[in-house]
Amino acid sequence: MDSHDAMLQKSGKDRRPSSIVITDDADAVRLAELGYTQVLSRKFSVWSLLGVGFSLTNSWFGLSAAMVTGINSGGTALIIYGVIIVACVSVNIRENLSEKQELVLTLRHVIDKYHVFAAYQVINAFAAIFNCYGKTLPWTASFTLYVSLISFFVILVPSVTPAHKPASFVFATFINNTGWNQPGIAFIVGLINTNWPFCCLDCATHLSEEVPRPERNIPIAICGTVAIGFVTAWFFAVAMFFSLYGDFEQLVSTPTGVPILALFYSALTGRSAQVAGAIVLESLILATGLGCQIASHTWQSRLLWSFARDGGVPGSKYLAVINEKLDVPLRAHLVSCGLVAVVGSLYLGSYTAFNSMVTATIVLLYISYAVPIYSLLFVRGRNNIRHGPFWLGRIGMVANVVVLCWTIFTLVMYSFPYTMPVAANTMNYVSAVYFAVSVIVAADWIFRGRKEYGHV
């Protein structure tokens, strides 16, 4: 075997005819039919795959992390019904993916941006370490799934009883502190809050070479992610709003900058050890967040590696190599972690720019779903591909159209400013992010990609 063949096998990219691949592994044979060599062990079960998928989306956790946006742009009505709206869209995304394949003892401690930045980098490094050894990842994914679900129930019970607010407050309160004169625009801007918890539904698809029978097990994991995500996010929102003691102003203006911590403190009004209880509940949020970060690193490393295997990024030959001893794409993993650290530096320079980057990731993910859907509908044709076990026929067609329409909707509406009147430090610069990404992608394609993509 020459050095070129060795590199192909290590990267998992082998365009030689699949007939020369001698194996009893049906999954490896199917992979070979696509022109790839099996290089990662299939160590994930459906449950551990669901663990990665749900730990990354972690809808109830995501809702708590971005709750202040929804409160200002629609109040309880936005969050309660926004979860339902985005979950319905996520079901259509699911169909498409399935079809294919005592710090603050008084709660007055002010957190400055340097604290946030330092915590960001520490958590990034912590999660990076967990993803350096492949054999423990399934166990870690399963464990973080349990942590999330147990934390959800532990938070739900003490927070919701006794109820402090009537049902009319929870289900029919609309608040518009955005400055927009049109309530509908304020509601749409606030949808970003409920959209964030349902991002990255494609996570499980990037582990297709590490799970047996991916054509069956990945759709199951994606369906489970959406189902569990909706149930936990919706009931979490309802419970939290019933438990609020006082008004929303105490959440929005909390000096800690952490509205969910202020909400826990409010929910425990009249209880002994109110401060300690709020801190304990917040610690469960942090533990769940760590699991989310670990899953995020698993997802992004596989995404970069698989793209590099096809020559889709600069330095593809270097990034496409698998560390056989650790059973992970170590180079792609470390580079992606480095990029995450760099992006975090934006927070120090401009909080507004950082938020625009976060918003852009939501829409850019939708665009990544929409491109193959467009190709399926208008280039290849739905009936001109081999149908998998989750082929949905006309329902799948409806799901295709819904996702395309939702992508266009978010591309336009999520570009609106969050508040009015617009100032330099409150502007939504997401359009500038789109432009920068487009320039980078176009330049890479012109000077490198068109020569290397698909030819590594």
Side-chain angles (χ1 to χ4, degrees):
M1 178 184 296
D2 61 26
S3 60
H4 179 68
D5 290 338
M7 178 62 76
L8 286 174
Q9 289 193 353
K10 281 191 175 184
S11 67
K13 180 72 172 291
D14 192 340
R15 291 302 187 186
R16 293 172 295 185
S18 60
S19 59
I20 70 169
V21 178
I22 302 174
T23 178
D24 294 327
D25 187 339
D27 293 325
V29 171
R30 283 192 291 271
L31 189 62
E33 290 174 352
L34 297 175
Y36 299 99
T37 301
Q38 180 75 49
V39 291
L40 290 167
S41 62
R42 296 186 182 270
K43 50 190 174 290
F44 284 88
S45 64
V46 175
W47 183 252
S48 60
L49 185 64
L50 175 60
V52 175
F54 180 72
S55 294
L56 177 53
T57 56
N58 235 318
S59 301
W60 72 270
F61 162 76
L63 195 64
S64 70
M67 185 174 289
V68 67
T69 303
I71 290 174
N72 284 321
S73 300
T76 61
L78 179 279
I79 295 177
I80 297 298
Y81 303 112
V83 167
I84 297 175
I85 292 171
V86 178
C88 289
V89 174
S90 297
V91 167
N92 289 277
I93 294 173
R94 178 197 69 185
E95 308 302 351
N96 284 283
L97 294 175
S98 298
E99 206 173 47
K100 295 183 299 187
Q101 288 229 57
E102 190 121 344
L103 296 175
V104 285
L105 280 180
T106 62
L107 299 185
R108 292 188 179 92
H109 180 76
V110 179
I111 303 174
D112 64 33
K113 62 181 180 180
Y114 296 102
H115 296 152
V116 176
F117 175 74
Y120 177 103
Q121 300 299 356
V122 169
I123 294 173
N124 181 42
F126 175 83
I129 294 172
F130 267 89
N131 278 272
C132 287
Y133 190 60
K135 290 180 173 58
T136 61
L137 282 177
W139 177 88
T140 302
S142 298
F143 178 75
T144 56
L145 175 58
Y146 285 120
V147 168
S148 178
L149 295 178
I150 292 173
S151 297
F152 167 74
F153 286 108
V154 170
I155 290 172
L156 205 65
V157 174
S159 296
V160 74
T161 55
H164 297 305
K165 294 294 184 183
S168 59
F169 171 84
V170 175
F171 295 101
T173 298
F174 186 85
I175 298 173
N176 181 5
N177 291 329
T178 65
W180 284 99
N181 293 325
Q182 302 88 348
I185 298 297
F187 186 91
I188 291 171
V189 171
L191 277 178
I192 296 174
N193 170 249
T194 54
N195 209 149
W196 181 247
F198 290 91
C199 280
C200 308
L201 293 176
D202 61 312
C203 175
T205 64
H206 300 295
L207 294 170
S208 59
E209 295 181 43
E210 298 175 73
V211 61
R213 297 190 63 190
E215 72 280 359
R216 171 185 176 274
N217 292 328
I218 287 178
I220 291 175
I222 295 173
C223 292
T225 296
V226 175
I228 298 175
F230 168 70
V231 171
T232 56
W234 195 81
F235 280 99
F236 178 80
V238 171
M240 291 299 99
F241 294 139
F242 267 118
S243 68
L244 180 64
Y245 189 90
D247 55 33
F248 279 128
E249 183 58 31
Q250 62 183 306
L251 306 185
V252 176
S253 62
T254 174
T256 65
V258 186
I260 190 63
L261 177 59
L263 198 155
F264 289 151
Y265 182 75
S266 172
L268 298 174
T269 297
R271 311 271 186 101
S272 60
Q274 181 183 4
V275 172
I279 292 175
V280 168
L281 294 181
E282 179 64 23
S283 69
L284 295 177
I285 292 283
L286 294 177
T288 301
L290 287 175
C292 176
Q293 189 69 8
I294 292 171
S296 177
H297 281 57
T298 304
W299 168 67
Q300 69 194 27
S301 63
R302 271 57 176 185
L303 182 59
L304 180 58
W305 167 71
S306 60
F307 205 15
R309 183 173 54 176
D310 285 328
V313 293
S316 288
K317 292 183 179 180
Y318 175 82
L319 296 172
V321 176
I322 293 292
N323 187 303
E324 297 177 355
K325 184 178 181 180
L326 298 177
D327 197 27
V328 292
L330 186 62
R331 294 178 180 177
H333 168 56
L334 295 178
V335 169
S336 65
C337 291
L339 292 173
V340 170
V342 172
V343 170
S345 300
L346 282 175
Y347 187 84
L348 287 178
S350 172
Y351 179 72
T352 303
F354 183 81
N355 277 346
S356 297
M357 180 72 78
V358 171
T359 301
T361 60
I362 298 175
V363 180
L364 291 173
L365 273 172
Y366 283 134
I367 292 175
S368 72
Y369 303 151
V371 169
I373 293 173
Y374 177 86
S375 299
L376 178 65
L377 290 178
F378 303 107
V379 179
R380 186 70 178 269
R382 285 178 55 84
N383 293 322
N384 295 326
I385 64 172
R386 185 172 64 180
H387 297 177
F390 283 83
W391 186 256
L392 300 172
R394 292 183 177 179
I395 296 178
M397 171 72 82
V398 172
N400 292 157
V401 174
V402 168
V403 174
L404 288 178
C405 292
W406 181 254
T407 300
I408 296 173
F409 174 84
T410 57
L411 182 63
V412 176
M413 303 307 297
Y414 286 5
S415 298
F416 281 29
Y418 306 120
T419 60
M420 294 291 287
V422 176
N425 62 340
T426 60
M427 179 61 184
N428 184 356
Y429 294 100
V430 68
S431 297
V433 177
Y434 299 150
F435 177 76
V437 170
S438 298
V439 169
I440 292 171
V441 171
D444 181 57
W445 173 256
I446 293 172
F447 296 107
R448 185 205 59 83
R450 61 191 178 91
K451 304 173 185 176
E452 298 182 14
Y453 186 67
H455 299 288
V456 173

